[in-house]
Amino acid sequence: MKAVICSKLEGPAALAVGELPDPKPGPGQVVVEVRAASLNFPDALMVRGMYQVKPPLPFSPGAELAGIVRAVGEGVERPRVGDSVIGLSGHGACAQLCVVDAARTMPLPEGIGFDDAAAFALTYGTALHALREVANLQPGETLAVLGASGGTGIAAIECGKAMGARVIACASSEEKLALCRKHGADETIDYLKEDLRARLDAIAGKKGVDVVFDAVGGPHSEPALRATGWRGRFLVIGFAAGEIPKLPLNLALLKERQILGVYWGDWTRKDPAGHARNMKDLVAWMLAGKVRPAITERVGLEGVADAIARMSDRKVLGKVVVNP
Ligand SMILES: NC(=O)c1ccc[n+]([C@@H]2O[C@H](COP(=O)([O-])OP(=O)(O)OC[C@H]3O[C@@H](n4cnc5c(N)ncnc54)[C@H](OP(=O)(O)O)[C@@H]3O)[C@@H](O)[C@H]2O)c1
């Protein structure tokens, strides 16, 4: 099979497209013919050896996919050969065939195409879990999303709107903010040009921001935390800016704010029933047109290295889909 191959942890420039032996499913696993995969920020970290999960070399990037089951391993009752599925592979999806644990697949819902299906589980799953189980976001509350035009950011905007919140999208250019408005943001802030704290205060009013969804870290986290009001909740999603901020804990004491970590991948394994419920809701929202992945580019395997490089350079909007 053809695959994007990472044989040294030197970033996207060291990725190559080549031939690998067709994979065989182990016990509890299935092999999926990948019709679509999508890229996520962790792919950019993984090919540099900077992600918490470090697959043995060589490996292919790509944490999520949609496709057709071509082989099943020992003990697998579902899915069956020929079934269309969504799969969370962790890595390996940027290839023509990918091994996935059967337990990390779900049937492809009728009415959702391979591209949309490959581009929603990880980002929307993260966003909904963060806003629902971790932050307990309530209708009428104000949600500020940092890195709002990215994969998890657009998902947070749409899930926030679907949950009845007022959403303030924060990103680094007018083009990015226009995409956020298209996906439902009520207000937008360019945090490179505007004073983030002052603008959040002005928009949120006396009560302050209720929930911050921070997928960026770096210099934006502290002003966003300061803009939260009494019992505001600050969601630690990721550090796309590269810098893990160190926040003064007196900001938590004052106003009884909560700083809350989110680790969607581990939560899905610890609470499979909760994960299944969230996926069911997300599929229903997608079929009802309430959420829709912002697919801005489609590439073949040859385009993966460049897309991951641009993702690291902050040049990608929404989601990149890979059609192997
Ligand atoms: N906690 C979890 O369970 C979980 C799950 C999924 C993802 N994550 C993490 O969430 C973060 C975002 O993931 P994503 O898939 O949404 O990423 P993404 O699509 O690449 O979006 C990240 C956003 O961060 C902003 N950014 C600021 N400085 C940046 C820099 N130096 N390089 C790249 N981007 C920069 C960019 O927006 P602006 O240019 O507008 O600032 C970009 O749109 C990652 O750190 C990822 O590992 C965590």
Side-chain angles (χ1 to χ4, degrees), residues 41 144-153 170-172 176 191-192 196 212-222 224 234-245 314:
F41 198 80
V145 181
L146 310 185
S149 74
T152 57
C170 312
S172 68
K176 290 183 173 186
Y191 47 39
L192 289 193
L196 179 61
V212 173
F213 182 96
D214 181 9
V216 181
H220 308 307
S221 303
E222 187 170 329
F234 183 95
L235 293 164
V236 182
I237 307 294
F239 312 105
E243 181 203 329
I244 300 178
R314 224 170 164 173

Side-chain angles (χ1 to χ4, degrees), residues 31-256:
V31 170
V32 180
E33 178 193 321
V34 181
R35 292 300 179 87
S38 77
L39 300 182
N40 292 283
F41 198 80
D43 299 321
L45 298 175
M46 212 180 270
V47 299
R48 293 181 169 88
M50 289 164 65
Y51 192 58
Q52 57 256 38
V53 180
K54 295 178 174 52
L57 294 169
F59 70 89
S60 298
E64 59 179 337
L65 58 86
I68 300 168
V69 176
R70 292 301 179 207
V72 302
E74 202 188 307
V76 175
E77 288 177 7
R78 298 237 181 242
R80 294 188 173 147
V81 171
D83 286 351
S84 294
V85 294
I86 295 174
L88 290 166
S89 55
H91 61 90
C94 292
Q96 290 174 326
L97 296 167
C98 181
V99 175
V100 190
D101 289 344
R104 305 291 284 165
T105 66
M106 62 181 262
L108 183 80
E110 212 170 301
I112 297 181
F114 286 117
D115 286 5
D116 282 336
F120 101 100
L122 203 148
T123 47
Y124 285 84
T126 299
L128 180 57
H129 168 57
L131 298 176
R132 181 182 267 174
E133 284 85 23
V134 185
N136 191 24
L137 180 70
Q138 296 298 310
E141 287 195 319
T142 301
L143 165 69
V145 181
L146 310 185
S149 74
T152 57
I154 293 285
I157 294 173
E158 292 191 337
C159 290
K161 290 305 295 175
M163 293 168 78
R166 177 187 186 214
V167 180
I168 308 170
C170 312
S172 68
S173 73
E174 180 44 41
E175 187 193 10
K176 290 183 173 186
L177 294 173
L179 182 72
C180 298
R181 284 191 289 273
K182 199 173 143 204
H183 284 264
D186 299 295
E187 307 279 351
T188 53
I189 300 174
D190 181 336
Y191 47 39
L192 289 193
K193 287 206 184 115
E194 301 176 85
D195 179 330
L196 179 61
R197 166 82 197 276
R199 288 279 288 127
L200 285 172
D201 283 352
I203 296 169
K206 239 179 163 178
K207 186 165 177 266
V209 170
D210 295 294
V211 176
V212 173
F213 182 96
D214 181 9
V216 181
H220 308 307
S221 303
E222 187 170 329
L225 175 63
R226 286 182 185 273
T228 56
W230 179 252
R231 295 212 170 142
R233 287 90 82 205
F234 183 95
L235 293 164
V236 182
I237 307 294
F239 312 105
E243 181 203 329
I244 300 178
K246 293 177 177 53
L247 300 170
L249 283 182
N250 65 315
L251 297 181
L253 183 154
L254 300 166
K255 304 201 181 184
E256 292 195 356

Side-chain angles (χ1 to χ4, degrees), residues 248-292:
L249 283 182
N250 65 315
L251 297 181
L253 183 154
L254 300 166
K255 304 201 181 184
E256 292 195 356
R257 296 173 171 118
Q258 299 170 35
I259 299 169
L260 300 162
V262 176
Y263 194 166
W264 177 73
D266 262 15
W267 173 76
T268 61
R269 282 177 277 269
K270 287 178 195 300
D271 184 2
H275 170 47
R277 183 195 58 231
N278 280 5
M279 283 295 136
K280 193 168 164 239
D281 288 350
L282 286 168
V283 167
W285 286 352
M286 185 135 50
L287 291 171
K290 285 188 181 176
V291 304
R292 184 87 207 236

